[in-house]
Amino acid sequence: MEEWVGEIWHKYITRKANPEFDQARVSFDQVSKSVGMVFRALGGDIVKRVEAASSREYLTRKSFLQKISGDSQLVSLAWQDDESLRLPESLAVFPTPELNYDLYIWLAVLAAHHDGQFRHWAKDNQQLVVDVLEQYPSLRARYQRLASAFVELRPSIDSLPKAEKEMEQAIQQGILKPGSVTEFPLVNFAPKAVYLWLYPSASSEDVIQARYDDKESEQSDDEKNKKNAKKTNNARKKAERVESPDERNGMMIFRLESMFSWSEFSKLDRGSDDSDEDDEDYQRTIEDLDKITLSQQQEQTKSGQIKVDLDLPSASEDDIPLGEGIKLPEWDYRKQHLVEERCLLQPMLPRDAKAASLPHRLQRTAKSIQAQFEQLRSVRYWLKAQPQGEELDLSAWLDFHVESKTSATAEKGLFQSFRGNHRDMSCLLLADLSMSTDAHLDDDNRVIDVVQDSLLLFGEALSSVGDNFAMYGFSSVRRTNVRFTMLKNFNEAYSNHVRGRIQAIKPGFYTRMGAAIRQATKVINEQKTTEKLLLILTDGKPNDIDHYEGRFGIEDTHQAICEAKRLGIKPFCITIDVDAQDYLPYLFGSDGFTQILRPAQLPTRLPQLYHQLTSQN
């Protein structure tokens, strides 16, 4: 009985303490496409992901009901960094869904005109609003509607302590009349979240000066330059020793008297962590921390340990490596240059691949596709009675000789020319064999099964038309292990040995696409044909576990594609990724990719796409 009453009371008091309007809540998933389109259309970085921001604790003064209910005040705010724009997971700030939707759009507009860096949080946001409204006057009515409704929901100024009263009054005035407030007082608590403004990035690389007392503005330019000159990557950090925590791995803090930052505790066992990670990874982690927290681990590590990489199979079970590997460069978008010999690519052959014929279930489909490709077959023939040509047309010459003996006869074409619709083309198909291909499409089929069928039918189609083609697969585990699986090279015929390799492929690891594209570009560029087509078959975006996730992988892949285009190679991507529209237009251009929403159609669609891409050549 007590538990039942307690549960009822908890639900009641929590609902009373919650200032949000749940009945008008709009989730990020409902507006993700709209805000992404607005962000990019108004000049936002096309490479940035538009994602939901996770909720964090926001340290502000709690109301009486919030203290009783134990509300932890988790909030999700809008912010951005170099790789992504993060918008709230959901918005229930206003009592109507229309206003909450408009707020999402407004935040996307602000983010499109801001780089994520703040010198003074409140002043910069005011100026950002002023700049946006000057550039887009049609947004004034929408902003005023949001601002008026938002200020009405703010805490009553009369109910606040004096210091907080001045701060709240300044914020409300800054919202209603952007740019009119030049001074913000110091307070002990952060104000209630200002959802109409952007917040600083969660990364402490963005050193955010949030003191609202104009001390920075009083410094001379010379003093600022001296301070900047003293900053180095080897800056000393404040250390703090604490007990090893079990919970609260991360907390967002906003203090008006200091700065906005993320305080994060990381379990880092210096005695047993892998020692083969890049030094630059450690350095980046150190630079991201304002304060390094150390704790004494309670567990005792064993004196002897066996280190294994659980990602990789044993040598006896792994694919067969070919040679010592190939060193390849990689693009560092932060430094805007190509880092030579950064990746090690390992050519491989599928293990236990045995010669096999085309599976019976695909034979009927293969015959149908081959019939469609008949019109592309190279046909060569002689053109007779030509005024010029490679050889003498004996038949035409004999007719002319006989006629000239009996009467005056005009000379006709006496030569023949060898003509035809010969297709001078090479195609390399590069298939993504990452671990995501192990996902099930239904009870019987996985993504890798669909990829295998696609490669088999593709090979049947191109071998029937006589085009020069090759097929490779790729996956990766960090930059030192990019796996490049040879299924068919340009010098071998499409045979049962090739079919056996295709049927032996298995899901791999991650998707370091840039290195694979560079090697594929090198292979196809060695062909002597006039037309060169690089087809990339994938089910996701570039990623790996050593900082290749996000913008780094996208920019490196984009650079690799640009390198291929400069060599006269035509890259084209076929994807089954439902989120492909977020990044493929930047990588391949609006007409350089196609999205297949039903993966089961891939085996038949792939040869058809090749037919469409090459039928005019």
Side-chain angles (χ1 to χ4, degrees):
M1 184 66 179
E2 292 180 1
E3 292 181 359
W4 178 76
V5 172
E7 184 178 353
I8 296 297
W9 166 254
H10 177 73
K11 290 181 179 179
Y12 172 78
I13 197 65
T14 301
R15 185 167 59 252
K16 284 292 185 180
N18 184 10
E20 296 186 329
F21 301 91
D22 288 332
Q23 75 281 0
R25 184 177 300 277
V26 176
S27 68
F28 175 79
D29 292 339
Q30 294 175 273
V31 300
S32 59
K33 291 185 178 180
S34 299
V35 296
M37 185 180 302
V38 169
F39 175 69
R40 295 183 176 93
L42 296 185
D45 196 333
I46 191 173
V47 181
K48 286 188 179 181
R49 308 185 305 275
V50 181
E51 300 176 333
S54 59
S55 298
R56 297 280 180 165
E57 271 193 292
Y58 186 65
L59 298 187
T60 186
R61 185 183 295 278
K62 294 183 180 182
S63 67
F64 177 72
L65 288 178
Q66 287 173 336
K67 292 178 181 179
I68 294 177
S69 66
D71 181 18
S72 60
Q73 294 179 288
L74 293 177
V75 296
S76 181
L77 302 171
W79 56 274
Q80 64 178 324
D81 56 18
D82 290 340
E83 296 193 354
S84 63
L85 165 62
R86 302 297 181 97
L87 298 178
E89 291 178 313
S90 65
L91 285 175
V93 179
F94 299 108
T96 64
E98 292 76 17
L99 284 175
N100 290 318
Y101 176 84
D102 284 351
L103 179 54
Y104 266 119
I105 300 299
W106 171 250
L107 292 172
V109 174
L110 287 184
H113 294 81
H114 193 256
D115 60 2
Q117 305 291 328
F118 287 90
R119 289 172 55 84
H120 190 291
W121 174 70
K123 293 179 182 178
D124 288 358
N125 267 295
Q126 286 188 94
Q127 186 59 47
L128 179 59
V129 173
V130 170
D131 294 342
V132 167
L133 295 180
E134 286 181 355
Q135 188 169 354
Y136 305 106
S138 60
L139 293 177
R140 289 185 180 276
R142 172 175 287 189
Y143 176 73
Q144 289 300 330
R145 184 168 64 252
L146 289 171
S148 299
F150 186 69
V151 169
E152 289 180 4
L153 299 172
R154 299 287 293 178
S156 173
I157 295 178
D158 295 335
S159 65
L160 298 175
K162 180 179 179 181
E164 294 181 38
K165 181 185 300 185
E166 294 175 358
M167 168 59 69
E168 182 61 31
Q169 189 171 8
I171 288 178
Q172 292 188 19
Q173 182 179 344
I175 292 173
L176 293 174
K177 296 180 179 180
S180 62
V181 182
T182 59
E183 184 176 350
F184 290 82
L186 296 175
V187 292
N188 293 327
F189 284 90
K192 295 293 183 181
V194 184
Y195 288 96
L196 268 65
W197 288 349
L198 300 177
Y199 276 72
S201 164
S203 169
S204 59
E205 289 179 357
D206 305 325
V207 179
I208 302 145
Q209 181 63 34
R211 296 182 62 88
Y212 294 109
D213 55 358
D214 291 341
K215 288 185 178 180
E216 183 175 350
S217 61
E218 295 174 2
Q219 293 178 345
S220 66
D221 292 338
D222 292 340
E223 290 175 342
K224 294 179 183 178
N225 293 334
K226 289 178 181 179
K227 286 188 175 182
N228 291 334
K230 293 180 180 180
K231 293 181 180 179
T232 66
N233 290 335
N234 296 322
R236 295 177 63 87
K237 307 292 181 180
K238 180 180 178 181
E240 178 187 42
R241 185 174 294 277
V242 300
E243 295 299 322
S244 178
D246 295 327
E247 297 179 353
R248 300 174 64 86
N249 291 330
M251 182 172 63
M252 183 174 68
I253 303 173
F254 187 84
R255 293 177 180 166
L256 294 180
E257 75 276 12
S258 56
M259 61 181 293
F260 176 98
S261 66
W262 294 80
S263 174
E264 193 165 314
F265 177 88
S266 299
K267 275 193 173 183
L268 196 63
D269 187 350
R270 299 303 302 163
S272 59
D273 278 354
D274 290 343
S275 59
D276 56 354
E277 290 288 342
D278 294 340
D279 290 340
E280 63 187 62
D281 297 345
Y282 288 134
Q283 184 65 30
R284 187 178 294 111
T285 301
I286 292 171
E287 292 172 359
D288 284 347
L289 297 175
D290 292 322
K291 178 169 60 178
I292 298 177
T293 303
L294 306 177
S295 69
Q296 181 67 39
Q297 293 288 343
Q298 301 301 320
E299 305 91 345
Q300 295 294 326
T301 60
K302 296 181 180 180
S303 59
Q305 292 184 348
I306 300 176
K307 292 181 63 178
V308 295
D309 192 334
L310 298 180
D311 283 330
L312 296 175
S314 63
S316 61
E317 298 295 328
D318 202 359
D319 288 342
I320 304 171
L322 303 175
E324 298 297 325
I326 302 169
K327 292 184 178 180
L328 295 173
E330 191 165 78
W331 179 257
D332 187 336
Y333 82 93
R334 295 185 183 91
K335 299 179 180 178
Q336 289 293 300
H337 77 92
L338 206 62
V339 182
E340 296 296 334
E341 298 187 352
R342 178 173 172 81
C343 297
L344 182 64
L345 180 138
Q346 180 61 65
M348 311 189 86
L349 281 175
R351 184 173 292 276
D352 299 329
K354 298 179 181 179
S357 60
L358 184 69
H360 180 74
R361 55 187 168 79
L362 298 177
Q363 290 180 4
R364 177 176 295 182
T365 306
K367 289 181 180 179
S368 175
I369 293 174
Q370 288 171 347
Q372 297 174 16
F373 273 66
E374 282 297 324
Q375 59 181 298
L376 298 180
R377 183 182 295 277
S378 297
V379 180
R380 301 173 67 86
Y381 54 91
W382 287 102
L383 285 178
K384 302 288 187 177
Q386 300 296 306
Q388 296 179 353
E390 292 87 355
E391 296 182 8
L392 186 66
D393 186 347
L394 294 178
S395 178
W397 183 88
L398 182 59
D399 291 342
F400 170 75
H401 178 72
V402 172
E403 291 178 6
S404 64
K405 293 296 183 180
T406 58
S407 63
T409 303
E411 181 178 326
K412 299 178 181 180
L414 303 180
F415 298 91
Q416 60 182 359
S417 179
F418 200 34
R419 299 289 179 85
N421 63 338
H422 178 64
R423 291 159 51 80
D424 191 22
M425 169 169 288
S426 295
C427 175
L428 190 148
L429 176 60
L430 184 62
D432 175 5
L433 304 180
S434 60
M435 66 176 66
S436 58
T437 59
D438 198 28
H440 281 265
L441 298 172
D442 51 45
D443 293 338
D444 299 324
N445 292 311
R446 300 172 299 164
V447 174
I448 190 66
D449 301 324
V450 173
V451 171
Q452 286 177 336
D453 290 351
S454 302
L455 295 175
L456 288 169
L457 292 178
F458 184 81
E460 299 296 327
L462 269 68
S463 62
S464 69
V465 79
D467 283 355
N468 186 32
F469 73 101
M471 292 187 288
Y472 292 84
F474 75 96
S475 69
S476 64
V477 185
R478 302 185 180 92
R479 62 184 177 87
T480 55
N481 190 0
V482 183
R483 304 156 71 84
F484 198 69
T485 305
M486 189 193 76
L487 304 174
K488 178 190 176 301
N489 61 33
F490 281 109
N491 297 325
E492 65 180 322
Y494 184 71
S495 63
N496 283 343
H497 291 286
V498 176
R499 296 185 183 97
R501 290 177 203 151
I502 294 174
Q503 295 178 59
I505 60 176
K506 300 176 182 178
F509 307 99
Y510 302 95
T511 315
R512 206 174 200 95
M513 196 176 290
I517 290 177
R518 286 188 177 90
Q519 181 61 18
T521 297
K522 180 181 178 181
V523 172
I524 195 173
N525 192 52
E526 294 174 352
Q527 303 305 302
K528 304 302 181 182
T529 53
T530 303
E531 302 290 336
K532 298 171 184 177
L533 176 64
L534 174 57
L535 289 180
I536 300 159
L537 177 61
T538 182
D539 68 338
K541 65 175 63 174
N543 76 299
D544 209 329
I545 55 177
D546 57 348
H547 298 286
Y548 201 76
E549 181 70 33
R551 186 167 184 177
F552 196 105
I554 293 290
E555 292 286 5
D556 177 57
T557 302
H558 175 69
Q559 187 68 20
I561 293 168
C562 291
E563 293 167 12
K565 289 180 178 179
R566 286 195 291 267
L567 293 174
I569 298 169
K570 180 181 179 181
F572 190 87
C573 181
I574 302 103
T575 184
I576 58 175
D577 184 10
V578 295
D579 298 322
Q581 292 288 344
D582 294 340
Y583 59 94
L584 283 187
Y586 175 73
L587 293 180
F588 293 91
S590 58
D591 59 348
F593 72 96
T594 188
Q595 184 180 15
I596 299 177
L597 298 179
R598 295 179 60 187
Q601 296 178 344
L602 182 60
T604 55
R605 290 282 289 130
L606 180 58
Q608 291 172 359
L609 287 168
Y610 178 82
H611 189 289
Q612 296 171 8
L613 291 169
T614 62
S615 59
Q616 297 180 352
N617 293 324

